[in-house]
Every structure is written in structure tokens, then in C-alpha cells.
Amino acid sequence: VQLQASGGGLAQAGGSLRLSCAASGRTFSSYVMGWFRQAPGKEREFVAAIRRNGGSTDYADSVKGRFTISRDNAKNTVYLRMTSLKPEDTAVYYCAVGYGVILSAMRLIRSYDYWGQGTLVTVSS
């Protein structure tokens, strides 16, 4: 499985960005795609996840109400719409694919089998 993340860039506080993550290769019919982020000097943290089949979603409290995760199954692509951006959202954002059954367990890094290369999001104040 290969994951290609894109869409990062520079935004002002209060602005918006949309990240994309395209999956290719043998993804199988059912997976969970998650977004994580890692700010300089900090550990990688969970942001959001979505189940390919059914579309169930989960969000970190820090982004709930501001970020929206969605998917296009025909394109094997997941999006992360980020609005009301804050400087503390600045980080490298990574997408990942895992096959866990319990969505809440997909908040854990170890639940994922494949990772994309990351895309940098910078939010200026």
C-alpha cells in the first residue's frame, strides 16, 4: 500500500486548508484511514480517522468542530478539511492506513500498518 499526502502549505490563523491522501496498491476493501500530526519537538498525535466502509469518523478533541474528514471510495482518497486554523495546528500531517475493527483504537499509532510521507501545514498568527 502506498499513500500520497498532499495539500499542505501556509495559511493564516482563521483560514482553511484541505489535505488529501490517495491510497494505491492492495488496500483491500475495508480499512481505516487516519490523519496524525507532528509539531516540532513534539510527539506525533492523532487528529482524525474515517472508516472506508460506512464512513464512521473519530476526531481528537483539539480539532473537533474545526476539521472534517471525508472519503471518496471510488478514488481511494481521504480528505481532511481544516478550518478556523490556529498557529498550534502547525505541524507535519501524516496519513496512515490500518485495519482495526474498533474505531476508537485507531487513535493509536501502533494501529496503523502504512504511512504516507507527510505534508507540512504552517499557520501564521
Side-chain angles (χ1 to χ4, degrees):
V1 176
Q2 294 79 45
L3 301 174
Q4 182 67 45
S6 61
L10 177 64
Q12 291 187 333
S16 302
L17 283 173
R18 189 182 79 160
L19 306 183
S20 300
C21 182
S24 60
R26 195 174 182 184
T27 56
F28 299 101
S29 61
S30 177
Y31 58 78
V32 172
M33 187 172 287
W35 285 98
F36 288 75
R37 65 186 182 186
Q38 188 166 16
K42 295 188 176 181
E43 294 185 350
R44 191 171 299 190
E45 64 176 5
F46 170 77
V47 175
I50 187 167
R51 186 172 299 283
R52 183 184 187 277
N53 292 348
S56 300
T57 59
D58 187 27
Y59 296 92
D61 288 344
S62 59
V63 306
K64 198 172 293 183
R66 299 189 299 122
F67 291 11
T68 302
I69 190 169
S70 61
R71 89 274 193 219
D72 183 335
N73 287 348
K75 297 181 179 180
N76 260 351
T77 299
V78 171
Y79 305 97
L80 185 68
R81 176 69 174 169
M82 306 184 295
T83 63
S84 301
L85 284 165
K86 304 175 181 180
E88 51 264 43
D89 294 320
T90 295
V92 176
Y93 283 70
Y94 298 90
C95 57
V97 163
Y99 299 94
V101 175
I102 301 174
L103 192 59
S104 59
M106 304 308 289
R107 293 181 170 219
L108 304 175
I109 291 174
R110 65 174 182 263
S111 295
Y112 292 85
D113 300 285
Y114 303 98
W115 291 83
Q117 84 286 4
T119 184
L120 176 63
V121 171
T122 303
V123 183
S124 62
S125 58

